[in-house]
Amino acid sequence: MEITTFNPQIITKDAESVAALFEELGFEKRHDQKGIGEFGVRDIRMKDNGGFYLDISQPAGYDHPDAVGIRINVRDFDEAYDLLISRGFKNVYGDDTVKTKSSKSAFLIAPSGFGINLIEHIR
């Protein structure tokens, strides 16, 4: 499995205030996409001067305390997805994935409780 990106991700009901905090810490917005896929996710991607990335996601209707996960971009989504599922991870979307013109993703929860946002960018 080839990993191309690996960074923390915050899942929140208030992406704007979380992004504002990290802007104060020296991060800059790289992009801010709204209404991603059929689940209506907002995603803010940030980067600091040291090259560290942070993703902030706000799923439509999300009304839980903030959660922290790991964003992992891979070259082969199906290979990585099958590996994680075989290790007991559960897809929060059931059998669905979030699909756009440029990516395919799923948020998976480990048996111990941590989350991985698994993404493949379609090239």
Side-chain angles (χ1 to χ4, degrees):
M1 175 173 59
E2 182 181 351
I3 295 173
T4 59
T5 305
F6 187 96
N7 60 267
Q9 180 171 16
I10 298 170
I11 300 89
T12 182
K13 59 185 167 190
D14 188 2
E16 200 58 48
S17 68
V18 174
L21 168 65
F22 280 91
E23 284 175 326
E24 290 181 49
L25 293 169
F27 282 78
E28 294 181 10
K29 286 183 182 176
R30 304 286 289 187
H31 72 249
D32 184 349
Q33 296 179 326
K34 298 176 184 168
I36 299 171
E38 62 273 18
F39 298 101
V41 177
R42 178 179 184 188
D43 182 63
I44 300 173
R45 184 136 173 92
M46 304 185 83
K47 184 179 179 183
D48 78 351
N49 289 335
F52 293 103
Y53 283 92
L54 169 69
D55 284 85
I56 302 166
S57 293
Q58 182 178 335
Y62 187 82
D63 194 28
H64 304 283
D66 290 355
V68 177
I70 301 166
R71 172 185 171 149
I72 301 177
N73 284 26
V74 295
R75 289 277 184 237
D76 185 333
F77 179 88
D78 294 332
E79 175 190 18
Y81 184 88
D82 291 345
L83 174 82
L84 294 171
I85 294 295
S86 76
R87 301 291 192 281
F89 281 74
K90 302 291 183 202
N91 182 347
V92 301
Y93 304 120
D95 292 328
D96 290 330
T97 57
V98 177
K99 295 176 186 141
T100 69
K101 293 184 297 186
S102 62
S103 68
K104 178 179 180 180
S105 67
F107 198 85
L108 304 160
I109 305 295
S112 62
F114 71 90
I116 292 178
N117 188 12
L118 184 65
I119 302 171
E120 176 185 0
H121 281 98
I122 300 164
R123 303 185 280 164

